[in-house]
Amino acid sequence: MTFETFVALRYLAASRRRAHVALIATISIVGLAVGVAALVVSLALLSGFQDRIRRQMMDRSAHLRISPARGATLRSPERVRKVLESLPAVESVTPAIEGRGWVSDVSGATAVPVRYRNGAAGSAGESGPEARITSLLAARLHASPGDLIRLTSSRSRLSPIGPIPVAVVLRVGEVRRVGALEKSAEIEVSEPTARLLSGTTLGARAYETKLRDPLDAASAANSARTALGSGYRVETWRELNAPLAFALRLEKVVIFVTVALVIVVAALNIVSNIALTVVEKKRDLGVFTAMGAPPRSLERIYLTLGSVIGLVGTAAGILFGVGLSVTLDRFRLVPLPSDVYLLSHVPFAVHLGEVAAVAAFALLTAVAAAVLPARAAARLAPGEAIRLSR
């Protein structure tokens, strides 16, 4: 143990004999611990929701999408499909056939503009093709599974009486709930129905791929770009949801900066605690200087004292914050109404990288708070320190 560390620990232990110094030291440690715990819990809460959102992005978005760099349709759709099927860890390759139109009940009383695309819907026998609609669209149409709806495309076709819009009658097969940030089509139909409505008899406007592991999308995209060459736009699920991903990152940065102000306020207590210790120990500083201790050594004593206070407060805050976050998530102690939210409870997710960033920030703040009083202690002359301590 170095001389500076030994003296700093002695000062911290001896402060118990002076009530005011001990109180300020305790307030400094507790304040720092509360700030660290608040930041850990806030980031865990935010990470819990963001992890669910990213999981939904991976589940409901195409992991890889290839579309033409120019134009509305792919030049060689069969070549694109073969390239995608040759990629490793590919689960499915489907054409993306979509368009816009209007949906209404069979009587035509209510018409709602929608975006349709091919999806998981199948045929329904005598009732006609089947559709899969969102809960928001079902509420506007007052439709439920088994009801009939009419989907009219924006495309028209010629008839003996002139151009008429292309329309099909669909049976609602499923009503699915969607999140507020989801950008999926309001209605999903079978591929033949989507081709009829959009007029795309062959090929597709794009091809979408599902991978076994969505995290391999970047490497799969690089392989697809190499195989296809120029003229194609290859996008991963991250790039398709880039605005949302940026918003999530920005939200976490804002929360970190905002809650971290609690740690900065707690650091002011460390400044007052060390400054008070400097005043109390002026005689010791004069003696140490007279015995040959350099000013840098005196400065390191109080920097070590600030580091010890920061280390104790940070460790206590990390333990409390991580423990509280894990407990709240494991036992689901913060429930949510299932009829309003897609989650049954508030999720908390503790990421080691974020905990390490909080610990590093708290320790650096504590050490930075000790710099000013430490330099003031190093500038005291031996005679002046002994004279002022009388």
Side-chain angles (χ1 to χ4, degrees):
M1 182 182 297
T2 62
F3 160 73
E4 293 85 357
T5 304
F6 175 78
V7 174
L9 294 178
R10 289 286 295 176
Y11 282 174
L12 190 61
S15 63
R16 299 176 185 173
R17 302 173 186 174
R18 296 180 178 271
H20 58 286
V21 179
L23 179 61
I24 295 178
T26 304
I27 292 175
S28 302
I29 294 175
V30 172
L32 186 61
V34 170
V36 170
L39 188 53
V40 169
V41 174
S42 300
L43 292 178
L45 172 63
L46 198 59
S47 297
F49 279 109
Q50 291 188 357
D51 289 349
R52 297 297 181 93
I53 294 174
R54 290 191 182 92
R55 196 173 301 122
Q56 288 185 3
M57 285 194 297
M58 289 188 290
D59 293 340
R60 300 183 181 182
S61 299
H63 299 159
L64 203 64
R65 178 184 173 95
I66 297 182
S67 57
R70 295 183 180 85
T73 57
L74 294 169
R75 292 180 302 176
S76 304
E78 191 63 22
R79 176 169 173 259
V80 173
R81 184 183 62 81
K82 290 181 179 180
V83 168
L84 290 177
E85 290 178 346
S86 65
L87 297 176
V90 172
E91 283 190 344
S92 63
V93 177
T94 56
I97 305 169
E98 54 190 9
R100 293 192 174 273
W102 296 266
V103 65
S104 63
D105 52 12
V106 178
S107 62
T110 304
V112 179
V114 294
R115 184 167 64 92
Y116 64 86
R117 66 157 295 159
N118 60 313
S123 58
E126 298 180 357
S127 300
E130 190 177 86
R132 187 170 179 240
I133 64 177
T134 63
S135 56
L136 297 177
L137 181 59
R140 297 185 65 179
L141 295 176
H142 305 286
S144 58
D147 293 345
L148 296 179
I149 58 176
R150 185 187 304 275
L151 178 58
T152 304
S153 173
S154 58
R155 186 179 70 89
S156 61
R157 60 184 176 183
L158 290 176
S159 70
I161 60 175
I164 59 174
V166 179
V168 293
V169 176
L170 306 169
R171 185 180 69 88
V172 178
E174 180 184 352
V175 176
R176 63 186 184 89
R177 297 181 61 185
V178 295
L181 300 176
E182 188 174 343
K183 298 184 297 183
S184 60
E186 291 85 357
I187 180 168
E188 294 181 359
V189 296
S190 61
E191 183 177 335
T193 303
R195 290 187 180 277
L196 173 65
L197 292 170
S198 64
T200 307
T201 56
L202 298 174
R205 296 181 179 180
Y207 268 92
E208 296 178 347
T209 303
K210 285 285 187 178
L211 304 175
R212 295 189 184 93
D213 187 1
L215 300 180
D216 295 335
S219 59
N222 292 331
S223 301
R225 292 189 186 97
T226 303
L228 292 174
S230 60
Y232 297 92
R233 181 186 296 111
V234 182
E235 299 171 293
T236 65
W237 64 271
R238 296 181 186 273
E239 296 167 345
L240 292 172
N241 298 278
L244 178 57
F246 174 77
L248 295 179
R249 291 194 301 269
L250 181 62
E251 183 182 25
K252 184 164 291 187
V253 171
V254 171
I255 291 296
F256 186 97
V257 173
T258 304
V259 183
L261 294 177
V262 179
I263 299 178
V264 176
V265 173
L268 299 178
N269 292 326
I270 299 178
V271 175
S272 61
N273 178 53
I274 297 179
L276 183 59
T277 306
V278 171
V279 174
E280 290 283 336
K281 303 298 181 180
K282 282 183 178 179
R283 182 186 294 272
D284 294 354
L285 294 177
V287 173
F288 291 151
T289 305
M291 294 176 62
R296 184 61 181 169
S297 180
L298 300 181
E299 183 178 352
R300 282 198 295 265
I301 291 175
Y302 292 97
L303 288 177
T304 304
L305 183 60
S307 301
V308 172
I309 294 176
L311 184 61
V312 174
T314 301
I318 291 293
L319 291 176
F320 181 76
V322 171
L324 181 61
S325 301
V326 172
T327 302
L328 292 174
D329 184 70
R330 181 174 182 181
F331 297 101
R332 302 183 178 183
L333 299 179
V334 186
L336 291 174
S338 58
D339 56 338
V340 178
Y341 299 95
L342 297 176
L343 302 175
S344 60
H345 68 286
V346 175
F348 291 83
V350 179
H351 295 168
L352 295 180
E354 295 175 356
V355 174
V358 172
F361 176 78
L363 286 175
L364 290 176
T365 304
V367 174
V371 170
L372 187 60
R375 289 184 176 178
R379 288 195 297 266
L380 285 176
E384 182 185 2
I386 297 176
R387 179 177 60 83
L388 292 176
S389 63
R390 291 179 180 177

